[in-house]
Amino acid sequence: MKLETGKPHQIETAILTDGNMRVSVLNYGAITQGWWYKDHPLILGFEDPNEYLADTRYLGAIVGRVANRISGAKFDLEGASFELNANEGKNTLHGGDDGLSKQFWDLRQFVQNEVFLNYVSRDGEAGFPGEISFEVRICLQGPRLVYSITAQPDRPTPISIAQHNYYTLVPQKP
């Protein structure tokens, strides 16, 4: 993980609650660390937020600038070629080593069931062209967890964002 010099980087946590539901969201990677019904986990996650710093499975993260793989870690756009970080063999996976899942986002929480995360990806970050302002709104509405993601680019650039939770599919005993 590369950290920008002089910029504070501390993992912050927001807790969302609504009835019997509880969600924990981190500013690092805009990660959904946990989602619980009463005390039953609905997603996989690390108890210690610092474990996400070395996670390679993207547990609960917002991934991108481009989710999935970019073959050969390069692409052409409007007559220009762009070379990216190859972090999965010869390919770029989920935005590369400097993708959205590896960034510290600004986190704001105004009410108990909703959080906003903002991140500005600079032109050339991870090899991608253009500056993009991202906003993620996560809202716990009873049994529903709603993600709203917006991206405002300053010029043409590929964008494909995904929320990367791993859900627990094993029934839990009440």
Side-chain angles (χ1 to χ4, degrees), residues 95-156:
D97 288 334
D98 296 324
L100 297 177
S101 63
K102 300 298 181 187
Q103 303 300 327
F104 283 86
W105 295 59
D106 293 322
L107 183 146
R108 296 174 287 132
Q109 184 174 12
F110 302 110
V111 294
Q112 70 182 19
N113 70 324
E114 181 178 56
V115 67
F116 291 88
L117 297 116
N118 298 91
Y119 179 73
V120 176
S121 179
R122 303 288 177 210
D123 180 34
E125 187 173 275
F128 290 94
E131 181 174 287
I132 304 175
S133 179
F134 292 99
E135 181 176 89
V136 176
R137 175 184 173 258
I138 304 171
C139 187
L140 181 60
Q141 301 170 342
R144 296 179 352 155
L145 188 57
V146 178
Y147 294 84
S148 301
I149 304 170
T150 60
Q152 302 269 333
D154 68 352
R155 67 179 184 157

Side-chain angles (χ1 to χ4, degrees), residues 15-174:
I15 304 295
L16 311 180
T17 58
D18 191 349
N20 291 322
M21 305 298 279
R22 182 171 43 95
V23 173
S24 174
V25 176
L26 306 178
N27 67 327
Y28 179 73
I31 289 171
T32 303
Q33 178 187 19
W35 181 11
W36 301 270
Y37 169 69
K38 296 183 181 178
D39 288 329
H40 303 289
L42 303 176
I43 63 172
L44 300 178
F46 297 115
E47 282 187 43
D48 180 356
N50 290 304
E51 290 187 54
Y52 289 98
L53 297 172
D55 179 38
T56 59
R57 296 166 292 180
Y58 305 92
L59 280 177
I62 297 295
V63 297
R65 278 190 180 195
V66 174
N68 212 331
R69 288 163 187 82
I70 297 177
S71 179
K74 60 185 173 183
F75 68 93
D76 295 330
L77 179 66
E78 295 185 328
S81 294
F82 297 91
E83 296 206 18
L84 309 172
N85 168 257
N87 64 331
E88 186 198 50
K90 295 180 180 181
N91 303 318
T92 298
L93 177 64
H94 296 326
D97 288 334
D98 296 324
L100 297 177
S101 63
K102 300 298 181 187
Q103 303 300 327
F104 283 86
W105 295 59
D106 293 322
L107 183 146
R108 296 174 287 132
Q109 184 174 12
F110 302 110
V111 294
Q112 70 182 19
N113 70 324
E114 181 178 56
V115 67
F116 291 88
L117 297 116
N118 298 91
Y119 179 73
V120 176
S121 179
R122 303 288 177 210
D123 180 34
E125 187 173 275
F128 290 94
E131 181 174 287
I132 304 175
S133 179
F134 292 99
E135 181 176 89
V136 176
R137 175 184 173 258
I138 304 171
C139 187
L140 181 60
Q141 301 170 342
R144 296 179 352 155
L145 188 57
V146 178
Y147 294 84
S148 301
I149 304 170
T150 60
Q152 302 269 333
D154 68 352
R155 67 179 184 157
T157 187
I159 301 172
S160 172
I161 309 302
Q163 201 292 320
H164 210 275
N165 280 339
Y166 286 76
Y167 292 89
T168 58
L169 301 178
V170 177
Q172 302 289 320
K173 294 181 181 180

